[in-house]
Each structure stands twice: as structure tokens, then as C-alpha cells.
Amino acid sequence: MMDLDMDADFDRPSNPLDLFERLAALNDWTFDRDSDDELSVSVTGGWSEYHVAITWLAEVEALHIACAFDLKVPERRRGEVLQLVGLVNEQLWLGHFDLWSSEGVVMYRHALLLSGGAEATDEQAAALIKSAIDACERYYQAFQFVVWAGKTAKEGLEGAMLETAGEA
């Protein structure tokens, strides 16, 4: 492992989570500031209520976002869901999905590195949350198809990739 000497200690003028708390308040999202380093936000999407956790990781100077939806994966479907996670992750440019094994929950994760005392902008905070919600909205049905309809990972992904025109 590479050993880099980085003795600089940066004082941040504000807590990076303050941006996300303001964003949640402006959008009338329910939120809770669990600690100085963690914020929980609930966002209603088209398919589900999304549970977003934003964590400031001071030791690596990064904002981590984790977005989960209400879908508990039964043990018997976890292998197929893991295959789906791999297929979905091949489609993503930002972030990735995981299956949180201890909870059996599918989760989108991403991070914003703020090394050297960099400050996140309002636009970056909004983009981080938007990319998480958009990814969950885009692939929610694929996970539903695999978990509840017994579809294969490939079938689940194909079903989610269909573009619909108009509204019924």
C-alpha cells in the first residue's frame, strides 16, 4: 500500500452536511440530523419512499450517500438479486448498488471526495441526491420483478429498461 505524507490539517468553515439539511428543508423532505456527521432524509419517489443517509467521513474527507427503498430481499432470492446488482452496476456511470447482506436491503451508494479542504456546492449536493433517487427510481421495478415476481436478473433488468410513452 502506498504511504503518502499528508500532514495538512484543514479547518472547514462549515459542516458539509449543512448543505444537505438546507436542501431537505427547501424541498419539504422529512429529515433528522442524527449527529454532526450523519443526516437521514426521506424522499417520496414515484415507486417508493426512499431512505437517504448522508454521512460526512472526516478521516477520508468524503460525503457518502446511501439510498435504500422498502424492499426486503428474502434469503432464497439473494443470489438472483446479486446477479441483478451486477447487471445494473454495468449500466451506471455514477455510484453503485449493493445488497446489504445483514439487512437484506438493496442500497444505492456514492461518495463525493472533498480532499484538501474543498467545499461542496449547492449544485453538487443537489446532484448527489438526484443521482441517488434517479438510480433508485430507474431500477426499483427490476428489483421488484426479481424479488416478488420470481424473474431472473436478466428479465428484471429488461423489464425495467422498457421506456413507456404517455400515461395510462
PDB file of all heavy atoms in Angstrom, residues 100-138:
ATOM      1  N   TRP A 100     -27.174  -5.137   0.967  1.00  0.00           N
ATOM      2  CA  TRP A 100     -26.696  -5.080   2.342  1.00  0.00           C
ATOM      3  C   TRP A 100     -27.047  -6.415   2.992  1.00  0.00           C
ATOM      4  O   TRP A 100     -28.196  -6.654   3.345  1.00  0.00           O
ATOM      5  CB  TRP A 100     -27.376  -3.912   3.059  1.00  0.00           C
ATOM      6  CG  TRP A 100     -26.551  -3.285   4.128  1.00  0.00           C
ATOM      7  CD1 TRP A 100     -26.740  -3.419   5.460  1.00  0.00           C
ATOM      8  CD2 TRP A 100     -25.438  -2.420   3.952  1.00  0.00           C
ATOM      9  NE1 TRP A 100     -25.812  -2.690   6.129  1.00  0.00           N
ATOM     10  CE2 TRP A 100     -24.994  -2.068   5.223  1.00  0.00           C
ATOM     11  CE3 TRP A 100     -24.772  -1.929   2.837  1.00  0.00           C
ATOM     12  CZ2 TRP A 100     -23.899  -1.222   5.416  1.00  0.00           C
ATOM     13  CZ3 TRP A 100     -23.706  -1.095   3.033  1.00  0.00           C
ATOM     14  CH2 TRP A 100     -23.279  -0.753   4.312  1.00  0.00           C
ATOM     15  N   SER A 101     -26.076  -7.290   3.107  1.00  0.00           N
ATOM     16  CA  SER A 101     -26.341  -8.680   3.478  1.00  0.00           C
ATOM     17  C   SER A 101     -26.953  -8.841   4.864  1.00  0.00           C
ATOM     18  O   SER A 101     -27.827  -9.686   5.050  1.00  0.00           O
ATOM     19  CB  SER A 101     -25.067  -9.518   3.364  1.00  0.00           C
ATOM     20  OG  SER A 101     -24.050  -8.999   4.194  1.00  0.00           O
ATOM     21  N   SER A 102     -26.533  -8.051   5.830  1.00  0.00           N
ATOM     22  CA  SER A 102     -27.071  -8.217   7.182  1.00  0.00           C
ATOM     23  C   SER A 102     -28.547  -7.846   7.272  1.00  0.00           C
ATOM     24  O   SER A 102     -29.289  -8.416   8.067  1.00  0.00           O
ATOM     25  CB  SER A 102     -26.266  -7.390   8.195  1.00  0.00           C
ATOM     26  OG  SER A 102     -26.374  -6.012   7.896  1.00  0.00           O
ATOM     27  N   GLU A 103     -28.978  -6.905   6.438  1.00  0.00           N
ATOM     28  CA  GLU A 103     -30.365  -6.439   6.459  1.00  0.00           C
ATOM     29  C   GLU A 103     -31.200  -7.002   5.317  1.00  0.00           C
ATOM     30  O   GLU A 103     -32.419  -6.887   5.338  1.00  0.00           O
ATOM     31  CB  GLU A 103     -30.401  -4.909   6.403  1.00  0.00           C
ATOM     32  CG  GLU A 103     -29.632  -4.212   7.509  1.00  0.00           C
ATOM     33  CD  GLU A 103     -30.282  -4.388   8.864  1.00  0.00           C
ATOM     34  OE1 GLU A 103     -31.520  -4.391   8.934  1.00  0.00           O
ATOM     35  OE2 GLU A 103     -29.542  -4.515   9.841  1.00  0.00           O
ATOM     36  N   GLY A 104     -30.546  -7.504   4.267  1.00  0.00           N
ATOM     37  CA  GLY A 104     -31.272  -7.966   3.094  1.00  0.00           C
ATOM     38  C   GLY A 104     -31.919  -6.823   2.336  1.00  0.00           C
ATOM     39  O   GLY A 104     -32.997  -6.969   1.770  1.00  0.00           O
ATOM     40  N   VAL A 105     -31.254  -5.678   2.299  1.00  0.00           N
ATOM     41  CA  VAL A 105     -31.799  -4.480   1.679  1.00  0.00           C
ATOM     42  C   VAL A 105     -30.916  -4.058   0.506  1.00  0.00           C
ATOM     43  O   VAL A 105     -29.690  -4.069   0.604  1.00  0.00           O
ATOM     44  CB  VAL A 105     -31.876  -3.328   2.715  1.00  0.00           C
ATOM     45  CG1 VAL A 105     -32.286  -2.023   2.079  1.00  0.00           C
ATOM     46  CG2 VAL A 105     -32.823  -3.692   3.838  1.00  0.00           C
ATOM     47  N   VAL A 106     -31.546  -3.669  -0.597  1.00  0.00           N
ATOM     48  CA  VAL A 106     -30.833  -3.129  -1.744  1.00  0.00           C
ATOM     49  C   VAL A 106     -30.581  -1.647  -1.481  1.00  0.00           C
ATOM     50  O   VAL A 106     -31.473  -0.925  -1.032  1.00  0.00           O
ATOM     51  CB  VAL A 106     -31.646  -3.320  -3.041  1.00  0.00           C
ATOM     52  CG1 VAL A 106     -30.958  -2.638  -4.212  1.00  0.00           C
ATOM     53  CG2 VAL A 106     -31.863  -4.793  -3.324  1.00  0.00           C
ATOM     54  N   MET A 107     -29.358  -1.203  -1.784  1.00  0.00           N
ATOM     55  CA  MET A 107     -28.974   0.159  -1.473  1.00  0.00           C
ATOM     56  C   MET A 107     -28.099   0.736  -2.584  1.00  0.00           C
ATOM     57  O   MET A 107     -27.207   0.052  -3.091  1.00  0.00           O
ATOM     58  CB  MET A 107     -28.201   0.140  -0.159  1.00  0.00           C
ATOM     59  CG  MET A 107     -27.729   1.457   0.333  1.00  0.00           C
ATOM     60  SD  MET A 107     -26.834   1.295   1.907  1.00  0.00           S
ATOM     61  CE  MET A 107     -28.026   0.461   2.908  1.00  0.00           C
ATOM     62  N   TYR A 108     -28.369   1.980  -2.958  1.00  0.00           N
ATOM     63  CA  TYR A 108     -27.518   2.721  -3.871  1.00  0.00           C
ATOM     64  C   TYR A 108     -26.509   3.491  -3.028  1.00  0.00           C
ATOM     65  O   TYR A 108     -26.876   4.091  -2.015  1.00  0.00           O
ATOM     66  CB  TYR A 108     -28.357   3.697  -4.700  1.00  0.00           C
ATOM     67  CG  TYR A 108     -27.531   4.641  -5.548  1.00  0.00           C
ATOM     68  CD1 TYR A 108     -27.131   4.292  -6.832  1.00  0.00           C
ATOM     69  CD2 TYR A 108     -27.140   5.881  -5.059  1.00  0.00           C
ATOM     70  CE1 TYR A 108     -26.369   5.149  -7.610  1.00  0.00           C
ATOM     71  CE2 TYR A 108     -26.372   6.752  -5.824  1.00  0.00           C
ATOM     72  CZ  TYR A 108     -25.991   6.373  -7.090  1.00  0.00           C
ATOM     73  OH  TYR A 108     -25.236   7.228  -7.848  1.00  0.00           O
ATOM     74  N   ARG A 109     -25.240   3.495  -3.468  1.00  0.00           N
ATOM     75  CA  ARG A 109     -24.204   4.213  -2.721  1.00  0.00           C
ATOM     76  C   ARG A 109     -23.324   5.024  -3.670  1.00  0.00           C
ATOM     77  O   ARG A 109     -23.087   4.620  -4.800  1.00  0.00           O
ATOM     78  CB  ARG A 109     -23.342   3.220  -1.950  1.00  0.00           C
ATOM     79  CG  ARG A 109     -24.135   2.452  -0.911  1.00  0.00           C
ATOM     80  CD  ARG A 109     -23.315   1.370  -0.252  1.00  0.00           C
ATOM     81  NE  ARG A 109     -22.125   1.936   0.351  1.00  0.00           N
ATOM     82  CZ  ARG A 109     -21.044   1.225   0.670  1.00  0.00           C
ATOM     83  NH1 ARG A 109     -21.008  -0.061   0.461  1.00  0.00           N
ATOM     84  NH2 ARG A 109     -20.002   1.803   1.209  1.00  0.00           N
ATOM     85  N   HIS A 110     -22.866   6.147  -3.172  1.00  0.00           N
ATOM     86  CA  HIS A 110     -21.974   7.012  -3.939  1.00  0.00           C
ATOM     87  C   HIS A 110     -21.243   7.899  -2.939  1.00  0.00           C
ATOM     88  O   HIS A 110     -21.677   8.040  -1.785  1.00  0.00           O
ATOM     89  CB  HIS A 110     -22.784   7.843  -4.928  1.00  0.00           C
ATOM     90  CG  HIS A 110     -21.963   8.611  -5.920  1.00  0.00           C
ATOM     91  ND1 HIS A 110     -20.896   8.078  -6.602  1.00  0.00           N
ATOM     92  CD2 HIS A 110     -22.067   9.896  -6.363  1.00  0.00           C
ATOM     93  CE1 HIS A 110     -20.385   8.985  -7.412  1.00  0.00           C
ATOM     94  NE2 HIS A 110     -21.076  10.091  -7.298  1.00  0.00           N
ATOM     95  N   ALA A 111     -20.151   8.517  -3.355  1.00  0.00           N
ATOM     96  CA  ALA A 111     -19.407   9.411  -2.473  1.00  0.00           C
ATOM     97  C   ALA A 111     -18.890  10.604  -3.259  1.00  0.00           C
ATOM     98  O   ALA A 111     -18.639  10.520  -4.461  1.00  0.00           O
ATOM     99  CB  ALA A 111     -18.255   8.675  -1.818  1.00  0.00           C
ATOM    100  N   LEU A 112     -18.737  11.703  -2.554  1.00  0.00           N
ATOM    101  CA  LEU A 112     -18.160  12.920  -3.111  1.00  0.00           C
ATOM    102  C   LEU A 112     -16.917  13.224  -2.294  1.00  0.00           C
ATOM    103  O   LEU A 112     -16.992  13.504  -1.098  1.00  0.00           O
ATOM    104  CB  LEU A 112     -19.167  14.075  -3.018  1.00  0.00           C
ATOM    105  CG  LEU A 112     -18.675  15.445  -3.475  1.00  0.00           C
ATOM    106  CD1 LEU A 112     -18.312  15.425  -4.958  1.00  0.00           C
ATOM    107  CD2 LEU A 112     -19.741  16.500  -3.197  1.00  0.00           C
ATOM    108  N   LEU A 113     -15.764  13.138  -2.934  1.00  0.00           N
ATOM    109  CA  LEU A 113     -14.489  13.374  -2.283  1.00  0.00           C
ATOM    110  C   LEU A 113     -14.225  14.872  -2.190  1.00  0.00           C
ATOM    111  O   LEU A 113     -14.344  15.586  -3.197  1.00  0.00           O
ATOM    112  CB  LEU A 113     -13.386  12.681  -3.092  1.00  0.00           C
ATOM    113  CG  LEU A 113     -12.021  12.555  -2.454  1.00  0.00           C
ATOM    114  CD1 LEU A 113     -12.100  11.768  -1.151  1.00  0.00           C
ATOM    115  CD2 LEU A 113     -11.067  11.864  -3.425  1.00  0.00           C
ATOM    116  N   LEU A 114     -13.889  15.342  -1.000  1.00  0.00           N
ATOM    117  CA  LEU A 114     -13.629  16.766  -0.773  1.00  0.00           C
ATOM    118  C   LEU A 114     -12.248  16.966  -0.153  1.00  0.00           C
ATOM    119  O   LEU A 114     -12.087  17.701   0.816  1.00  0.00           O
ATOM    120  CB  LEU A 114     -14.720  17.365   0.124  1.00  0.00           C
ATOM    121  CG  LEU A 114     -16.131  17.340  -0.432  1.00  0.00           C
ATOM    122  CD1 LEU A 114     -17.147  17.770   0.619  1.00  0.00           C
ATOM    123  CD2 LEU A 114     -16.230  18.220  -1.669  1.00  0.00           C
ATOM    124  N   SER A 115     -11.261  16.307  -0.718  1.00  0.00           N
ATOM    125  CA  SER A 115      -9.893  16.363  -0.191  1.00  0.00           C
ATOM    126  C   SER A 115      -9.325  17.770  -0.171  1.00  0.00           C
ATOM    127  O   SER A 115      -9.670  18.603  -1.006  1.00  0.00           O
ATOM    128  CB  SER A 115      -8.969  15.490  -1.045  1.00  0.00           C
ATOM    129  OG  SER A 115      -9.361  14.161  -0.983  1.00  0.00           O
ATOM    130  N   GLY A 116      -8.427  17.990   0.776  1.00  0.00           N
ATOM    131  CA  GLY A 116      -7.706  19.258   0.844  1.00  0.00           C
ATOM    132  C   GLY A 116      -8.543  20.423   1.294  1.00  0.00           C
ATOM    133  O   GLY A 116      -8.206  21.566   1.023  1.00  0.00           O
ATOM    134  N   GLY A 117      -9.639  20.166   1.972  1.00  0.00           N
ATOM    135  CA  GLY A 117     -10.484  21.244   2.468  1.00  0.00           C
ATOM    136  C   GLY A 117     -11.483  21.768   1.458  1.00  0.00           C
ATOM    137  O   GLY A 117     -12.106  22.810   1.680  1.00  0.00           O
ATOM    138  N   ALA A 118     -11.657  21.071   0.316  1.00  0.00           N
ATOM    139  CA  ALA A 118     -12.636  21.509  -0.690  1.00  0.00           C
ATOM    140  C   ALA A 118     -14.031  21.553  -0.070  1.00  0.00           C
ATOM    141  O   ALA A 118     -14.363  20.755   0.803  1.00  0.00           O
ATOM    142  CB  ALA A 118     -12.622  20.557  -1.885  1.00  0.00           C
ATOM    143  N   GLU A 119     -14.811  22.495  -0.541  1.00  0.00           N
ATOM    144  CA  GLU A 119     -16.184  22.659  -0.067  1.00  0.00           C
ATOM    145  C   GLU A 119     -17.156  22.219  -1.154  1.00  0.00           C
ATOM    146  O   GLU A 119     -16.982  22.583  -2.324  1.00  0.00           O
ATOM    147  CB  GLU A 119     -16.461  24.120   0.292  1.00  0.00           C
ATOM    148  CG  GLU A 119     -15.677  24.632   1.483  1.00  0.00           C
ATOM    149  CD  GLU A 119     -16.178  24.064   2.804  1.00  0.00           C
ATOM    150  OE1 GLU A 119     -17.407  23.915   2.975  1.00  0.00           O
ATOM    151  OE2 GLU A 119     -15.330  23.775   3.662  1.00  0.00           O
ATOM    152  N   ALA A 120     -18.162  21.466  -0.790  1.00  0.00           N
ATOM    153  CA  ALA A 120     -19.208  21.074  -1.742  1.00  0.00           C
ATOM    154  C   ALA A 120     -20.083  22.285  -2.046  1.00  0.00           C
ATOM    155  O   ALA A 120     -20.293  23.150  -1.194  1.00  0.00           O
ATOM    156  CB  ALA A 120     -20.055  19.948  -1.172  1.00  0.00           C
ATOM    157  N   THR A 121     -20.595  22.333  -3.259  1.00  0.00           N
ATOM    158  CA  THR A 121     -21.501  23.416  -3.652  1.00  0.00           C
ATOM    159  C   THR A 121     -22.950  22.949  -3.515  1.00  0.00           C
ATOM    160  O   THR A 121     -23.218  21.743  -3.406  1.00  0.00           O
ATOM    161  CB  THR A 121     -21.260  23.826  -5.118  1.00  0.00           C
ATOM    162  OG1 THR A 121     -21.614  22.721  -5.966  1.00  0.00           O
ATOM    163  CG2 THR A 121     -19.811  24.240  -5.355  1.00  0.00           C
ATOM    164  N   ASP A 122     -23.865  23.893  -3.562  1.00  0.00           N
ATOM    165  CA  ASP A 122     -25.292  23.559  -3.544  1.00  0.00           C
ATOM    166  C   ASP A 122     -25.629  22.645  -4.711  1.00  0.00           C
ATOM    167  O   ASP A 122     -26.396  21.692  -4.574  1.00  0.00           O
ATOM    168  CB  ASP A 122     -26.153  24.830  -3.632  1.00  0.00           C
ATOM    169  CG  ASP A 122     -26.086  25.682  -2.377  1.00  0.00           C
ATOM    170  OD1 ASP A 122     -25.628  25.185  -1.326  1.00  0.00           O
ATOM    171  OD2 ASP A 122     -26.497  26.858  -2.446  1.00  0.00           O
ATOM    172  N   GLU A 123     -25.047  22.934  -5.873  1.00  0.00           N
ATOM    173  CA  GLU A 123     -25.315  22.134  -7.068  1.00  0.00           C
ATOM    174  C   GLU A 123     -24.804  20.704  -6.912  1.00  0.00           C
ATOM    175  O   GLU A 123     -25.457  19.755  -7.361  1.00  0.00           O
ATOM    176  CB  GLU A 123     -24.676  22.790  -8.307  1.00  0.00           C
ATOM    177  CG  GLU A 123     -25.296  24.122  -8.691  1.00  0.00           C
ATOM    178  CD  GLU A 123     -24.790  25.313  -7.870  1.00  0.00           C
ATOM    179  OE1 GLU A 123     -23.835  25.163  -7.074  1.00  0.00           O
ATOM    180  OE2 GLU A 123     -25.354  26.412  -8.013  1.00  0.00           O
ATOM    181  N   GLN A 124     -23.647  20.542  -6.287  1.00  0.00           N
ATOM    182  CA  GLN A 124     -23.118  19.193  -6.064  1.00  0.00           C
ATOM    183  C   GLN A 124     -23.998  18.416  -5.085  1.00  0.00           C
ATOM    184  O   GLN A 124     -24.243  17.226  -5.282  1.00  0.00           O
ATOM    185  CB  GLN A 124     -21.684  19.255  -5.540  1.00  0.00           C
ATOM    186  CG  GLN A 124     -20.675  19.641  -6.593  1.00  0.00           C
ATOM    187  CD  GLN A 124     -19.305  19.858  -5.998  1.00  0.00           C
ATOM    188  OE1 GLN A 124     -19.147  20.587  -5.022  1.00  0.00           O
ATOM    189  NE2 GLN A 124     -18.302  19.219  -6.589  1.00  0.00           N
ATOM    190  N   ALA A 125     -24.461  19.078  -4.043  1.00  0.00           N
ATOM    191  CA  ALA A 125     -25.331  18.420  -3.068  1.00  0.00           C
ATOM    192  C   ALA A 125     -26.620  17.968  -3.742  1.00  0.00           C
ATOM    193  O   ALA A 125     -27.069  16.828  -3.568  1.00  0.00           O
ATOM    194  CB  ALA A 125     -25.634  19.369  -1.899  1.00  0.00           C
ATOM    195  N   ALA A 126     -27.221  18.854  -4.539  1.00  0.00           N
ATOM    196  CA  ALA A 126     -28.457  18.505  -5.241  1.00  0.00           C
ATOM    197  C   ALA A 126     -28.211  17.370  -6.237  1.00  0.00           C
ATOM    198  O   ALA A 126     -29.018  16.443  -6.334  1.00  0.00           O
ATOM    199  CB  ALA A 126     -29.019  19.736  -5.964  1.00  0.00           C
ATOM    200  N   ALA A 127     -27.090  17.415  -6.947  1.00  0.00           N
ATOM    201  CA  ALA A 127     -26.777  16.369  -7.929  1.00  0.00           C
ATOM    202  C   ALA A 127     -26.538  15.027  -7.250  1.00  0.00           C
ATOM    203  O   ALA A 127     -26.926  13.979  -7.787  1.00  0.00           O
ATOM    204  CB  ALA A 127     -25.556  16.776  -8.755  1.00  0.00           C
ATOM    205  N   LEU A 128     -25.929  15.032  -6.083  1.00  0.00           N
ATOM    206  CA  LEU A 128     -25.675  13.781  -5.361  1.00  0.00           C
ATOM    207  C   LEU A 128     -26.993  13.114  -4.963  1.00  0.00           C
ATOM    208  O   LEU A 128     -27.175  11.913  -5.173  1.00  0.00           O
ATOM    209  CB  LEU A 128     -24.807  14.061  -4.132  1.00  0.00           C
ATOM    210  CG  LEU A 128     -24.082  12.896  -3.505  1.00  0.00           C
ATOM    211  CD1 LEU A 128     -23.139  12.214  -4.485  1.00  0.00           C
ATOM    212  CD2 LEU A 128     -23.300  13.365  -2.282  1.00  0.00           C
ATOM    213  N   ILE A 129     -27.914  13.897  -4.432  1.00  0.00           N
ATOM    214  CA  ILE A 129     -29.219  13.333  -4.056  1.00  0.00           C
ATOM    215  C   ILE A 129     -30.016  12.948  -5.304  1.00  0.00           C
ATOM    216  O   ILE A 129     -30.621  11.878  -5.361  1.00  0.00           O
ATOM    217  CB  ILE A 129     -30.010  14.308  -3.166  1.00  0.00           C
ATOM    218  CG1 ILE A 129     -29.349  14.340  -1.789  1.00  0.00           C
ATOM    219  CG2 ILE A 129     -31.475  13.899  -3.062  1.00  0.00           C
ATOM    220  CD1 ILE A 129     -30.086  15.057  -0.718  1.00  0.00           C
ATOM    221  N   LYS A 130     -29.992  13.794  -6.328  1.00  0.00           N
ATOM    222  CA  LYS A 130     -30.735  13.496  -7.557  1.00  0.00           C
ATOM    223  C   LYS A 130     -30.233  12.211  -8.208  1.00  0.00           C
ATOM    224  O   LYS A 130     -31.036  11.379  -8.637  1.00  0.00           O
ATOM    225  CB  LYS A 130     -30.648  14.662  -8.537  1.00  0.00           C
ATOM    226  CG  LYS A 130     -31.442  14.441  -9.814  1.00  0.00           C
ATOM    227  CD  LYS A 130     -31.365  15.638 -10.739  1.00  0.00           C
ATOM    228  CE  LYS A 130     -32.115  15.516 -12.028  1.00  0.00           C
ATOM    229  NZ  LYS A 130     -32.614  14.268 -12.460  1.00  0.00           N
ATOM    230  N   SER A 131     -28.926  12.018  -8.270  1.00  0.00           N
ATOM    231  CA  SER A 131     -28.399  10.804  -8.905  1.00  0.00           C
ATOM    232  C   SER A 131     -28.814   9.564  -8.118  1.00  0.00           C
ATOM    233  O   SER A 131     -29.112   8.520  -8.709  1.00  0.00           O
ATOM    234  CB  SER A 131     -26.878  10.878  -9.067  1.00  0.00           C
ATOM    235  OG  SER A 131     -26.208  10.801  -7.831  1.00  0.00           O
ATOM    236  N   ALA A 132     -28.863   9.660  -6.800  1.00  0.00           N
ATOM    237  CA  ALA A 132     -29.283   8.528  -5.972  1.00  0.00           C
ATOM    238  C   ALA A 132     -30.757   8.196  -6.200  1.00  0.00           C
ATOM    239  O   ALA A 132     -31.115   7.034  -6.441  1.00  0.00           O
ATOM    240  CB  ALA A 132     -29.036   8.834  -4.492  1.00  0.00           C
ATOM    241  N   ILE A 133     -31.612   9.202  -6.154  1.00  0.00           N
ATOM    242  CA  ILE A 133     -33.050   8.978  -6.337  1.00  0.00           C
ATOM    243  C   ILE A 133     -33.340   8.511  -7.762  1.00  0.00           C
ATOM    244  O   ILE A 133     -34.124   7.576  -7.974  1.00  0.00           O
ATOM    245  CB  ILE A 133     -33.868  10.248  -5.994  1.00  0.00           C
ATOM    246  CG1 ILE A 133     -33.641  10.666  -4.534  1.00  0.00           C
ATOM    247  CG2 ILE A 133     -35.342  10.036  -6.289  1.00  0.00           C
ATOM    248  CD1 ILE A 133     -33.996   9.629  -3.496  1.00  0.00           C
ATOM    249  N   ASP A 134     -32.700   9.134  -8.743  1.00  0.00           N
ATOM    250  CA  ASP A 134     -32.915   8.738 -10.138  1.00  0.00           C
ATOM    251  C   ASP A 134     -32.531   7.278 -10.370  1.00  0.00           C
ATOM    252  O   ASP A 134     -33.248   6.537 -11.044  1.00  0.00           O
ATOM    253  CB  ASP A 134     -32.120   9.633 -11.098  1.00  0.00           C
ATOM    254  CG  ASP A 134     -32.723  11.018 -11.271  1.00  0.00           C
ATOM    255  OD1 ASP A 134     -33.840  11.267 -10.759  1.00  0.00           O
ATOM    256  OD2 ASP A 134     -32.054  11.866 -11.909  1.00  0.00           O
ATOM    257  N   ALA A 135     -31.399   6.852  -9.809  1.00  0.00           N
ATOM    258  CA  ALA A 135     -30.971   5.452  -9.972  1.00  0.00           C
ATOM    259  C   ALA A 135     -31.967   4.510  -9.310  1.00  0.00           C
ATOM    260  O   ALA A 135     -32.333   3.474  -9.881  1.00  0.00           O
ATOM    261  CB  ALA A 135     -29.571   5.250  -9.398  1.00  0.00           C
ATOM    262  N   CYS A 136     -32.425   4.860  -8.124  1.00  0.00           N
ATOM    263  CA  CYS A 136     -33.398   4.008  -7.425  1.00  0.00           C
ATOM    264  C   CYS A 136     -34.718   3.951  -8.185  1.00  0.00           C
ATOM    265  O   CYS A 136     -35.317   2.876  -8.315  1.00  0.00           O
ATOM    266  CB  CYS A 136     -33.605   4.498  -6.000  1.00  0.00           C
ATOM    267  SG  CYS A 136     -32.188   4.182  -4.920  1.00  0.00           S
ATOM    268  N   GLU A 137     -35.163   5.084  -8.698  1.00  0.00           N
ATOM    269  CA  GLU A 137     -36.405   5.114  -9.480  1.00  0.00           C
ATOM    270  C   GLU A 137     -36.266   4.278 -10.747  1.00  0.00           C
ATOM    271  O   GLU A 137     -37.178   3.568 -11.133  1.00  0.00           O
ATOM    272  CB  GLU A 137     -36.769   6.559  -9.857  1.00  0.00           C
ATOM    273  CG  GLU A 137     -37.346   7.376  -8.721  1.00  0.00           C
ATOM    274  CD  GLU A 137     -38.812   7.091  -8.488  1.00  0.00           C
ATOM    275  OE1 GLU A 137     -39.665   7.552  -9.262  1.00  0.00           O
ATOM    276  OE2 GLU A 137     -39.112   6.392  -7.504  1.00  0.00           O
ATOM    277  N   ARG A 138     -35.119   4.388 -11.386  1.00  0.00           N
ATOM    278  CA  ARG A 138     -34.889   3.705 -12.656  1.00  0.00           C
ATOM    279  C   ARG A 138     -34.902   2.181 -12.501  1.00  0.00           C
ATOM    280  O   ARG A 138     -35.414   1.466 -13.359  1.00  0.00           O
ATOM    281  CB  ARG A 138     -33.548   4.163 -13.234  1.00  0.00           C
ATOM    282  CG  ARG A 138     -33.089   3.426 -14.445  1.00  0.00           C
ATOM    283  CD  ARG A 138     -33.757   3.959 -15.661  1.00  0.00           C
ATOM    284  NE  ARG A 138     -33.290   3.217 -16.825  1.00  0.00           N
ATOM    285  CZ  ARG A 138     -33.816   3.317 -18.001  1.00  0.00           C
ATOM    286  NH1 ARG A 138     -34.810   4.138 -18.186  1.00  0.00           N
ATOM    287  NH2 ARG A 138     -33.372   2.621 -18.997  1.00  0.00           N
TER     288      ARG A 138
END
